Amino acid sequence: MIDWFAYVQVGVATVAGLLCVVLGLVGRRPSDLTMGALALVEVLLVAQVVVAIAAPAFGNTPTGDPLEFWTYLVSAVLLPVGAGFWALLERSRWSTVVLGVAALAVAVMVYRMLQIWTVQQA
Amino acid sequence: MTEVDPTVDAPATRPRMSGIGRVLVAVYAVLALAATGRSFVQIATKFDEAPLAYLLSALAAVVYVLATVALIARGRTWYVVAWATIVFEFTGVLVVGTLSLVDPALFPHDTVWSAFGRGYLFIPLVLPLLGMWWLARHPVRRGEATA
């Protein structure tokens, strides 16, 4: 896992999450902006999958449990997709909030992934 | 919450979870995913270390999944299931949370409920309260189909 890339992901997901929650609470339905924000989060996650597969070949190996790391990563990849489909099916303001909740959850999960990869006891 | 869903024509046929309730379901789904993922990893890699704690994790995960489904599904049966699972969760987080602080030796390994769900931003503590509030505000009407 690449530190700066992980922080970029956490930052983007946090901003996207807050944006969607705020826009949803003021009554906006899912729009190109909010869906696009989630799409960006998803693209970064897919890039993270590639990084996580390739990194060990370059000597960047996880210090923690790979299974735990991958459980987080697979779950995180599914979240924006699930929230996005939901937003397409039900175009209400609350779907925008759901997009935000998904993005914020991704932010937490990526941070946790970075912890698993870099700082582990034993 | 004044929006009209074009796919339903009468309030009586509305799914229980509409409007802001959708957000509640989404948070439940995320928590169910988190609990399931964690217990999967625990049981797959280090089950022998603390079988009881990890079985509890798995049980909690199943209950979160069940609660998520029960909140979405219609009918009196699911309404009762939703109450049961949410009350179970609330009891779980209170009992395990208290015990994990009073006697940490009982729960040396983290569960979703340790220290009142601190590892999950206290969401496991707050969510059942929101869930019960929601269910109380949206009872199943008489004559509604029993699914």
Side-chain angles (χ1 to χ4, degrees):
Chain A
M1 213 170 171
I2 304 165
D3 281 15
W4 67 261
F5 185 61
Y7 286 120
V8 166
Q9 284 185 85
V10 173
V12 169
T14 305
V15 172
L18 293 176
L19 177 80
C20 293
V21 168
V22 169
L23 286 180
L25 289 179
V26 300
R28 303 286 178 82
R29 286 156 194 259
S31 62
D32 287 352
L33 174 65
T34 45
M35 291 292 275
L38 262 286
L40 178 62
V41 170
E42 181 68 13
V43 167
L44 290 175
L45 281 171
V46 171
Q48 177 61 66
V49 171
V50 176
V51 168
I53 292 171
F58 296 91
N60 180 357
T61 51
T63 59
D65 183 358
L67 181 67
E68 192 176 5
F69 176 86
W70 279 102
T71 305
Y72 270 100
L73 186 47
V74 170
S75 307
V77 168
L78 294 176
L79 277 177
V81 177
F85 269 112
W86 190 333
L88 289 176
L89 287 174
E90 187 193 293
R91 303 190 66 78
S92 82
R93 58 190 296 193
W94 300 112
S95 294
T96 311
V97 178
V98 169
L99 289 174
V101 169
L104 290 177
V106 167
V108 173
M109 291 168 85
V110 172
Y111 183 69
R112 183 74 192 115
M113 280 187 261
L114 183 63
Q115 284 184 329
I116 294 169
W117 194 282
T118 55
V119 279
Q120 287 289 323
Q121 67 292 4
Chain B
M1 281 200 280
T2 53
E3 288 150 9
V4 177
D5 185 345
T7 59
V8 289
D9 47 7
T13 60
R14 273 176 88 92
R16 194 176 319 117
M17 279 296 142
S18 55
I20 195 172
R22 299 279 183 192
V23 180
L24 188 66
V25 170
V27 177
Y28 256 102
V30 170
L31 197 62
L33 188 67
T36 308
R38 171 171 237 177
S39 82
F40 162 69
V41 170
Q42 287 175 333
I43 288 177
T45 59
K46 44 190 180 180
F47 184 67
D48 297 339
E49 287 177 24
L52 195 65
Y54 296 155
L55 283 178
L56 189 67
S57 270
L59 178 66
V62 170
V63 172
Y64 279 119
V65 173
L66 201 57
T68 308
V69 174
L71 282 172
I72 300 169
R74 297 174 218 197
R76 175 162 291 279
T77 312
W78 282 114
Y79 184 74
V80 173
V81 172
W83 266 112
T85 50
I86 290 174
V87 166
F88 177 86
E89 281 166 22
F90 193 56
T91 313
V93 74
L94 288 184
V95 170
V96 174
T98 308
L99 286 178
S100 66
L101 291 181
V102 173
D103 187 359
L106 272 179
F107 295 96
H109 301 265
D110 270 356
T111 70
V112 202
W113 291 331
S114 295
F116 301 113
R118 191 180 52 199
Y120 292 85
L121 305 170
F122 294 107
I123 290 172
L125 182 62
V126 179
L127 203 55
L129 291 173
L130 291 176
M132 286 189 273
W133 169 79
W134 179 268
L135 286 175
R137 288 267 317 269
H138 299 79
V140 175
R141 286 179 193 78
R142 276 188 188 285
E144 199 169 323
T146 47

